[in-house]
C-alpha cells in the first residue's frame, strides 16, 4: 500500500499507511487503518514497531522512530507492491530481423516459451538471443493470432502485443504448474 498523493501534508495518515504496509509484509506488525487520527490504535502499532526494532516503546513517533519506519517501508513496499514494469526500448521504426542478435530477443524468446503453453500454434524456441528461424516462426504464428502482419520480425507493434498477452498466459501457466 503506497501513500496516496492526497496524503501529502498528512503525516499521521502517511505514518499509518507505512505501518500498514509493514504489517502486510511482516505479520509481526499491527495492521492499522489509515484514518489520520493518532489514537490508541496508532499508539499501539507504533509501540509494537518500536519493540520489534529495538527502540524505546513509547508509542510516540519521534525522529528515530520515523527514520526507522521510513527505512523499513521502502523495501516492504517493493515486496507487497506490483513487480516493476519492464519496457524494452526500440528506436522509432527499429525492427529486429531474422538472423540478428539482440538482447531483447532473450526476453521475446522467454515470453514465447510461456505463450507456447497457452497457444499451441506457437512452436518451441531456444534461448539464444538470436532471431533464428524457430523464433521467427514463433513470432509469425503469434502475429497471426494477434491480427498483425506476419513478418517474423520484432517491431514495436509485435512487442506491445507480446507484452499484453504475456501476463495472462503467465498466470495460466503458473496455475497449471500449481495443480
Amino acid at each position: 500500500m503506497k501513500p496516496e498523493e492526497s496524503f501529502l501534508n498528512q503525516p499521521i495518515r502517511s505514518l499509518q499507511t507505512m505501518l500498514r504496509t509493514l504489517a502486510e509484509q511482516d505479520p509481526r506488525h499491527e495492521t492499522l487503518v489509515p484514518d489520520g487520527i493518532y489514537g490508541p490504535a496508532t499508539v499501539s502499532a507504533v509501540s509494537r514497531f518500536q519493540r520489534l526494532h529495538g527502540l524505546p516503546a513509547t508509542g510516540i513517533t519521534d525522529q528515530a522512530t520515523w527514520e526507522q519506519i521510513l527505512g523499513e517501508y521502502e523495501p516492504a513496499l517493493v515486496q507487497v507492491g506490483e513487480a516493476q514494469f519492464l519496457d524494452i526500448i526500440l528506436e522509432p521504426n527499429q525492427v529486429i530481423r531474422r538472423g540478428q542478435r539482440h538482447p531483447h530477443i532473450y526476453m521475446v524468446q522467454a515470453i514465447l516459451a510461456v505463450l507456447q503453453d497457452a497457444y499451441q500454434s506457437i512452436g518451441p524456441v531456444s534461448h539464444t538471443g538470436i532471431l533464428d528461424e524457430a523464433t521467427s516462426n514463433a513470432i509469425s504464428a503469434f502475429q497471426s493470432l494477434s491480427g498483425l502482419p506476419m513478418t517474423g520480425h520484432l517491431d514495436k507493434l509485435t512487442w506491445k502485443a507480446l507484452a499484453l498477452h504475456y501476463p495472462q498466459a503467465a498466470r495460466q501457466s503458473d496455475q497449471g504448474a500449481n495443480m
Side-chain angles (χ1 to χ4, degrees), residues 65-145:
T65 301
W66 180 259
E67 289 175 9
Q68 183 74 35
I69 290 171
L70 282 175
E72 300 288 326
Y73 170 71
E74 285 296 325
L77 187 59
V78 170
Q79 293 298 323
V80 301
E82 293 185 18
Q84 178 65 42
F85 177 74
L86 174 65
D87 197 7
I88 65 169
I89 299 172
L90 290 173
E91 298 299 323
N93 301 314
Q94 180 182 4
V95 176
I96 301 172
R97 301 183 191 302
R98 184 183 279 192
Q100 289 183 308
R101 174 182 295 277
H102 197 283
H104 296 341
I105 299 301
Y106 286 109
M107 289 187 289
V108 169
Q109 290 168 331
I111 290 169
L112 288 168
V114 172
L115 292 175
Q116 181 187 4
D117 291 339
Y119 310 113
Q120 278 64 42
S121 60
I122 297 176
V125 296
S126 298
H127 300 279
T128 63
I130 300 170
L131 207 158
D132 54 21
E133 184 176 356
T135 303
S136 180
N137 292 340
I139 288 173
S140 290
F142 175 77
Q143 289 168 328
S144 175
L145 290 169

